[in-house]
Amino acid sequence: MTVVGPFGLSVWDEALDADVQAGLSAVEEGLLEATKSDVPFITDAARHLLKAGGKRFRPLLVMLGAQFGDPHAPRVVPAAVVVELTHLATLYHDDIMDEAEVRRGVPSANARWGNSVAVLTGDFLFSRASHILADLGPEAVRVQAESFERLVTGQIMETVGPREGRDPIDHYLEVLAGKTSSLMAVSGRFGAMMSGAEESVVSTLTQYGERIGTAFQLADDLLDITSESAESGKTPGTDLREGIPTLPILHVRRWYQQAGGSVSAADRRLNQLLDGDLTDDALHGEALALLRAHPALEQARRDTLRYADEARAALAPLPECTAKLALAALCDIVVHRAA
């Protein structure tokens, strides 16, 4: 049994391990090349989060998806570079909008250089991704454009909040589908597409990426609350402190509304804290402790498992092979990070 990538993905075939590892190494080289500028300062800014690490989950999906065609096809690695560059660019922009100070255990670009440099660096990464994408053909450009539209739409929906009468949890899941799942779906799709896999395989891996993308983000939401260390790349409770209504918090609010007057003192106190300013360390710590003990956390965990199960079920039409086993294993790995 061998291990693939930073997720500790165990597979049962040394050839698959070698292919994926070689592919991810080539992607890393491609990322370094794509973030290189004739202006040294731009190179430093563009590589800031790249050097800080990251899970490289999207390139991993590309590499595993490519196993259903020719994994060594020349467009596979560039496609993986495109999706990771796009993801990196969104992080620069997200940190500005969230006024985040830390990303991947290092100061965010906006904290280090200011918002103007951070947003322009994100734009620089988008431009480099587009340059590579242009060589992958018009269909790839169309797929990426549709995904990017969904991504931006999700970000806008998050910013404006749910419309009147809309269920906040349904709204949140739709936001995640745009912000996170769309690019995960492209990763699975590009892997199969660029390797020359059959159209049915391309469709299957697109659906898989969509579902595991939601599970991935929901697991990160749980990690933000449950981790004692910065497992999520952020200080635990960051979303809570910043007032970001992730799924566990939305479940707490629903729980409180449905309970009516029959709530415990702890529930009442937690909702009072969630409605207030949690930048104070003592109040933040109190809210985090109450949230960790609340049944809503288990409900959010069940939701996460459900999306992972849907991702696994989506793989059913694929032929039996070690790549399929690896993709199925990812479903468990993603959610059990937050177990």
Side-chain angles (χ1 to χ4, degrees):
M1 187 176 291
T2 55
V3 172
V4 174
F7 276 76
L9 174 60
S10 297
V11 295
W12 294 265
D13 185 275
E14 290 186 3
L16 174 62
D17 179 31
D19 264 349
V20 172
Q21 292 284 17
L24 291 176
S25 295
V27 169
E28 211 64 28
E29 292 176 8
L31 289 169
L32 286 172
E33 182 61 30
T35 51
K36 182 180 180 181
S37 168
D38 292 336
V39 181
F41 176 81
I42 295 177
T43 302
D44 289 342
R47 290 179 176 175
H48 179 63
L49 293 182
L50 184 64
K51 290 181 177 178
K55 305 177 185 73
R56 304 291 189 264
F57 189 72
R58 291 153 191 83
L60 178 59
L61 289 183
V62 176
M63 293 303 132
L64 288 173
Q67 295 295 318
F68 295 90
D70 176 6
H72 306 118
R75 296 191 298 166
V76 171
V77 169
V81 173
V82 165
V83 293
E84 188 66 10
L85 282 176
T86 304
H87 171 58
L88 283 169
T90 65
L91 298 185
Y92 282 79
H93 289 178
D94 282 353
D95 285 347
I96 295 166
M97 297 184 69
D98 298 339
E99 298 180 353
E101 296 185 357
V102 176
R103 169 71 70 173
R104 294 180 174 175
V106 300
S108 62
N110 47 295
R112 181 170 178 180
W113 292 296
N115 287 349
S116 295
V117 169
V119 73
L120 290 170
T121 302
D123 292 345
F124 173 81
L125 294 173
F126 281 131
S127 71
R128 287 298 175 89
S130 298
H131 188 272
I132 298 169
L133 189 66
D135 292 330
L136 300 182
E139 177 66 9
V141 173
R142 185 185 65 80
V143 168
Q144 174 78 350
E146 290 174 352
S147 169
F148 194 58
E149 179 183 346
R150 288 186 62 199
L151 195 157
V152 173
T153 299
Q155 183 66 69
I156 293 172
M157 288 176 61
E158 181 181 53
T159 302
V160 301
R163 65 179 181 273
E164 186 175 354
R166 180 79 192 278
D167 179 74
I169 291 178
D170 288 345
H171 171 82
Y172 182 68
L173 292 173
E174 189 175 353
V175 166
L176 293 194
K179 284 189 61 179
T180 302
S181 303
S182 60
L183 197 55
M184 296 284 197
V186 168
S187 299
R189 185 172 184 172
F190 272 177
M193 194 170 104
M194 300 305 171
S195 70
E198 294 180 4
E199 187 56 40
S200 61
V201 173
V202 174
S203 176
T204 293
L205 288 173
T206 302
Q207 295 173 45
Y208 168 83
E210 184 82 26
R211 287 160 177 77
I212 201 170
T214 300
F216 181 94
Q217 184 56 56
L218 293 180
D220 268 6
D221 289 353
L222 289 169
L223 268 177
D224 183 67
I225 295 167
T226 61
S227 62
E228 292 295 341
S229 61
E231 296 171 49
S232 61
K234 302 182 293 185
T235 303
T238 295
D239 292 335
L240 182 64
R241 187 185 295 275
E242 294 175 355
I244 298 173
T246 57
L247 188 63
I249 294 169
L250 293 173
H251 273 308
V252 167
R253 294 189 183 281
R254 175 182 282 182
W255 181 287
Y256 186 77
Q257 291 169 355
Q258 292 178 344
S262 58
V263 295
S264 67
D267 283 348
R268 195 172 293 108
R269 176 57 176 163
L270 176 55
N271 275 273
Q272 180 186 30
L273 289 167
L274 292 177
D275 286 335
D277 183 359
L278 292 178
T279 56
D280 177 83
D281 287 344
L283 294 177
H284 174 263
E286 183 184 0
L288 190 58
L290 289 170
L291 187 54
R292 285 171 172 171
H294 199 282
L297 195 64
E298 184 55 37
Q299 178 60 56
R301 186 172 283 112
R302 287 196 295 270
D303 290 338
T304 306
L305 288 168
R306 174 167 55 85
Y307 277 99
D309 288 342
E310 289 178 3
R312 187 183 295 104
L315 296 171
L318 295 178
E320 297 302 322
C321 59
T322 51
K324 181 177 180 179
L325 289 173
L327 289 166
L330 273 182
C331 298
D332 295 321
I333 293 167
V334 162
V335 296
H336 290 137
R337 293 179 302 137

